[in-house]
Amino acid sequence: MTGHTMTPDIPASSTLAKDQSSTSTVPLLEARNVGRSFAQRGTGGLWRARQTQLAVDGVSLQIHPGEVVALVGESGSGKTTLGRMLLGLTAPSSGQVLFRGEDVSQLRGAAWQRFRREVQVVFQDTGGSLNPRHTIGQSVALPLRHNRGLDAAASAREVDALLEQVGLPPAHFRQRLPHELSGGQRQRVGIARALASQPAVIVADEPVSALDVSIRAQILRLMAELQRARGLAYLFITHDLGVVRALADRVLVMTGGRVVESGSADEVLERPQHAYTRRLLAATPVPDPARQRAD
Ligand SMILES: Nc1ncnc2c1ncn2[C@@H]1O[C@H](COP(=O)(O)OP(=O)(O)OP(=O)(O)O)[C@@H](O)[C@H]1O
Ligand SMILES: [Mg+2]
């Protein structure tokens, strides 16, 4: 790890002062009974009866430093909505999101900046989230300048170090544009950009499901290596139970906006309690290349 952060540690010290005895047990990121409703789409004609839909319905979860939590569930079960609430991108309709023990909706100034820096995201479609007119170097440099306040020279050195770490030789990739890269290479850029902020936790929303099967293993291995090397925490949203087995410490299973089962990855995969989880397991052959990769 190179460089250092210039972000003042105000929120941390206030948390410490409040809760000195149990600092190590304060989760990095926590959802406390969060819910989110949306006005229902496509209820054509019935404009008077404006329906709302509970996308997330009273979910609680904790992510501790260095922990990999997998979030699985069928399409539309609320995984992305929950992830976006934990990232501060979608406001909860009820309940609270806490960052290092503090309600995210109350964070201001330096405390908010620290939250934005330490909680990063890797999207499924990195192609869509990279500015097509920015070179790879510029995309990775942006958080270095903004979130860490590095000057041009320090930021250029750090861009190269980050590209190196995600397996993109900087001399070859620094000046390229996103459309010149493969999907897997773009996802590596997405990971480098997330790492640039020196996050404590990354919310990865189906980070490999848009990629060719042959590339998925490489990206998952990279993410596993980075997690270990940097002591990162992940909220790993996935449909793939093989990924859960390979990467996750704990797993939460969502359906219909609720968590219906949670536990250690081994527990849940070996002895699923909920009918939904059993169906999911039956539908997914778990002996997966990811398993051998990670062992
Ligand atoms: N911005 C929005 N406006 C209206 N409805 C939304 C919005 N975002 C999500 N929803 C609805 O909330 C529910 C949960 O969606 P969400 O995207 O969180 O599910 P998901 O588990 O991530 O699904 P997938 O596995 O397909 O990505 C869905 O019914 C979806 O249509
Ligand atoms: Mg989703």
Side-chain angles (χ1 to χ4, degrees):
M1 193 82 112
T2 56
H4 69 282
T5 176
M6 295 175 67
T7 310
D9 278 343
I10 291 164
S13 26
S14 65
T15 305
L16 285 172
K18 250 193 333 233
D19 201 358
Q20 216 143 30
S21 58
S22 58
T23 314
S24 61
T25 67
V26 174
L28 210 45
L29 203 53
E30 177 174 6
R32 224 176 253 178
N33 202 21
V34 293
R36 172 70 204 202
S37 53
F38 290 109
Q40 209 155 31
R41 289 185 282 221
T43 45
L46 291 172
W47 58 272
R48 278 169 307 176
R50 197 171 164 79
Q51 301 282 325
T52 59
Q53 180 202 1
L54 263 180
V56 173
D57 184 5
V59 168
S60 297
L61 75 86
Q62 299 187 337
I63 304 169
H64 288 91
E67 195 179 31
V68 179
V69 179
L71 184 59
V72 303
E74 65 197 339
S75 184
S77 57
K79 305 181 298 295
T80 294
T81 305
L82 178 60
R84 289 180 56 88
M85 289 194 283
L86 289 165
L87 285 158
L89 299 175
T90 294
S93 316
S94 57
Q96 288 178 303
V97 172
L98 297 101
F99 170 64
R100 298 189 182 277
E102 304 206 9
D103 188 333
V104 166
S105 70
Q106 305 300 313
L107 299 179
R108 301 286 181 272
W112 173 251
Q113 293 304 323
R114 186 182 189 200
F115 168 68
R116 294 316 301 256
R117 183 176 69 74
E118 289 200 1
V119 185
Q120 290 292 313
V121 61
V122 171
F123 293 107
Q124 174 174 346
D125 175 19
T126 297
S129 68
L130 290 173
N131 185 326
R133 284 163 300 150
H134 283 179
T135 65
I136 299 317
Q138 287 170 324
S139 282
V140 177
L142 214 63
L144 296 171
R145 318 279 305 255
H146 279 223
N147 289 351
R148 287 171 55 196
L150 299 189
D151 65 21
S155 140
R157 281 195 302 275
E158 182 73 353
V159 164
D160 285 4
L162 285 163
L163 290 178
E164 197 77 59
Q165 282 174 53
V166 298
L168 299 173
H172 187 69
F173 284 98
R174 203 191 285 127
Q175 302 295 343
R176 300 250 179 146
L177 290 167
H179 79 265
E180 300 175 293
L181 272 56
S182 70
Q185 289 166 343
R186 277 200 297 267
Q187 198 55 306
R188 289 175 190 270
V189 176
I191 293 166
R193 192 177 50 173
L195 294 178
S197 298
Q198 294 183 317
V201 53
I202 293 179
V203 175
D205 192 348
E206 315 249 19
V208 300
S209 48
L211 302 175
D212 281 358
V213 174
S214 60
I215 306 299
R216 289 183 189 174
Q218 298 171 15
I219 301 295
L220 289 171
R221 198 183 313 118
L222 173 67
M223 291 191 73
E225 281 164 14
L226 291 167
Q227 188 268 330
R228 264 180 248 119
R230 291 176 171 245
L232 281 167
Y234 288 153
L235 179 68
F236 209 102
I237 301 175
T238 180
H239 281 102
D240 186 340
L241 293 173
V243 172
V244 174
R245 192 182 296 274
L247 284 184
D249 301 309
R250 280 192 301 123
V251 55
L252 289 92
V253 182
M254 278 184 84
T255 179
R258 292 171 169 270
V259 171
V260 293
E261 177 156 10
S262 65
S264 77
D266 288 342
E267 257 165 41
V268 172
L269 294 177
E270 301 305 334
R271 290 182 300 281
Q273 298 300 308
H274 196 276
Y276 173 74
T277 315
R278 295 205 189 103
R279 282 204 301 280
L280 200 66
L281 273 164
T284 324
V286 171
D288 177 274
R291 189 173 187 170
Q292 288 119 49
R293 286 195 298 274
D295 293 345

Coordinates of all heavy atoms in Angstrom, one line a residue, residues 35-41 50-56 78 80-82 84-85 90-91 93:
G35 N -35.8 -0.7 5.3 CA -36.8 -1.0 4.2 C -36.7 0.1 3.2 O -36.2 1.2 3.4
R36 N -37.2 -0.3 2.0 CA -37.2 0.6 0.9 C -38.4 0.3 0.0 O -38.6 -0.8 -0.4 CB -36.0 0.6 0.1 CG -36.0 1.4 -1.2 CD -36.0 2.9 -0.9 NE -36.6 3.7 -2.0 CZ -36.4 4.9 -2.3 NH1 -35.6 5.7 -1.5 NH2 -37.0 5.5 -3.3
S37 N -39.3 1.3 -0.2 CA -40.4 1.0 -1.1 C -40.2 1.9 -2.3 O -39.6 3.0 -2.3 CB -41.7 1.3 -0.4 OG -41.7 2.6 0.2
F38 N -40.8 1.5 -3.4 CA -40.8 2.2 -4.7 C -42.2 2.3 -5.2 O -43.0 1.4 -5.0 CB -40.0 1.5 -5.8 CG -38.5 1.5 -5.5 CD1 -37.9 0.3 -5.2 CD2 -37.7 2.7 -5.6 CE1 -36.5 0.3 -4.9 CE2 -36.4 2.6 -5.4 CZ -35.8 1.5 -5.1
A39 N -42.5 3.4 -5.8 CA -43.8 3.5 -6.6 C -43.7 2.5 -7.6 O -42.7 2.4 -8.3 CB -43.9 4.9 -7.2
Q40 N -44.7 1.7 -7.7 CA -44.7 0.5 -8.7 C -44.7 1.0 -10.1 O -45.4 1.9 -10.5 CB -45.8 -0.4 -8.4 CG -45.5 -1.8 -8.8 CD -46.4 -2.8 -8.0 OE1 -47.5 -2.5 -7.7 NE2 -45.9 -3.9 -7.7
R41 N -43.8 0.4 -10.9 CA -43.7 0.7 -12.3 C -44.8 0.0 -13.1 O -45.2 -1.1 -12.7 CB -42.4 0.4 -12.8 CG -41.3 1.3 -12.3 CD -39.9 1.0 -12.9 NE -39.3 -0.2 -12.4 CZ -38.0 -0.3 -12.1 NH1 -37.2 0.7 -12.3 NH2 -37.5 -1.4 -11.6
R50 N -52.1 4.6 -6.9 CA -50.6 4.5 -7.0 C -50.1 3.5 -6.0 O -50.0 3.8 -4.8 CB -50.0 5.9 -6.8 CG -48.6 6.0 -7.3 CD -48.2 7.5 -7.3 NE -46.8 7.6 -7.4 CZ -46.2 7.6 -8.6 NH1 -46.9 7.4 -9.7 NH2 -44.9 7.7 -8.6
Q51 N -49.6 2.4 -6.5 CA -49.2 1.3 -5.7 C -47.7 1.5 -5.3 O -46.9 2.0 -6.1 CB -49.3 0.0 -6.4 CG -50.7 -0.4 -6.9 CD -51.5 -0.9 -5.8 OE1 -51.0 -1.6 -4.9 NE2 -52.8 -0.6 -5.8
T52 N -47.4 1.1 -4.1 CA -46.0 1.1 -3.8 C -45.6 -0.4 -3.5 O -46.4 -1.2 -3.1 CB -45.6 1.9 -2.5 OG1 -46.4 1.4 -1.4 CG2 -45.9 3.4 -2.8
Q53 N -44.3 -0.6 -3.7 CA -43.8 -2.0 -3.6 C -42.6 -1.9 -2.6 O -41.8 -1.1 -2.7 CB -43.3 -2.4 -5.0 CG -42.8 -3.8 -5.0 CD -41.9 -4.1 -6.2 OE1 -41.7 -3.2 -7.0 NE2 -41.4 -5.2 -6.3
L54 N -42.6 -2.9 -1.7 CA -41.5 -3.0 -0.8 C -40.4 -3.8 -1.4 O -40.5 -5.0 -1.5 CB -42.0 -3.7 0.5 CG -42.4 -2.8 1.7 CD1 -42.8 -3.7 2.8 CD2 -41.2 -1.9 2.1
A55 N -39.4 -3.1 -1.9 CA -38.2 -3.8 -2.5 C -37.4 -4.5 -1.5 O -36.8 -5.5 -1.7 CB -37.4 -2.8 -3.4
V56 N -37.2 -3.8 -0.3 CA -36.5 -4.3 0.8 C -37.4 -4.1 2.0 O -37.9 -3.0 2.2 CB -35.1 -3.6 1.0 CG1 -34.4 -4.1 2.3 CG2 -34.2 -3.9 -0.2
G78 N -34.3 -7.8 -4.1 CA -33.9 -6.6 -3.4 C -32.5 -6.5 -3.1 O -32.1 -5.6 -2.3
T80 N -29.8 -5.5 -5.0 CA -29.2 -4.3 -5.4 C -29.7 -3.1 -4.6 O -28.9 -2.2 -4.2 CB -29.4 -4.1 -6.9 OG1 -28.7 -5.1 -7.7 CG2 -29.0 -2.7 -7.4
T81 N -31.0 -3.1 -4.3 CA -31.5 -2.0 -3.5 C -30.9 -2.0 -2.2 O -30.5 -0.9 -1.7 CB -33.1 -2.2 -3.4 OG1 -33.6 -2.3 -4.7 CG2 -33.7 -1.0 -2.7
L82 N -30.7 -3.1 -1.5 CA -30.0 -3.2 -0.2 C -28.6 -2.7 -0.4 O -28.1 -1.8 0.4 CB -30.1 -4.6 0.3 CG -29.4 -4.8 1.6 CD1 -30.0 -4.0 2.8 CD2 -29.4 -6.3 2.0
R84 N -27.3 -0.6 -2.6 CA -27.3 0.8 -2.8 C -27.6 1.6 -1.6 O -27.1 2.7 -1.4 CB -28.4 1.2 -3.9 CG -27.9 0.7 -5.3 CD -29.0 1.1 -6.4 NE -29.2 2.5 -6.4 CZ -28.5 3.4 -7.1 NH1 -27.5 3.0 -7.8 NH2 -28.8 4.7 -7.0
M85 N -28.4 1.0 -0.7 CA -28.7 1.7 0.6 C -27.4 1.7 1.4 O -27.1 2.7 2.1 CB -29.9 1.1 1.3 CG -31.2 1.4 0.7 SD -32.6 1.0 1.7 CE -32.7 -0.7 1.5
T90 N -29.0 5.1 -2.3 CA -30.5 5.1 -2.2 C -30.8 5.3 -0.7 O -30.2 4.6 0.1 CB -31.1 3.7 -2.7 OG1 -30.8 3.6 -4.1 CG2 -32.6 3.6 -2.4
A91 N -31.7 6.2 -0.4 CA -32.1 6.4 1.0 C -33.1 5.4 1.4 O -34.0 5.0 0.7 CB -32.7 7.8 1.1
S93 N -36.4 3.9 3.2 CA -37.7 4.4 3.6 C -37.9 4.2 5.1 O -38.7 5.0 5.7 CB -38.8 3.7 2.8 OG -38.5 3.5 1.5

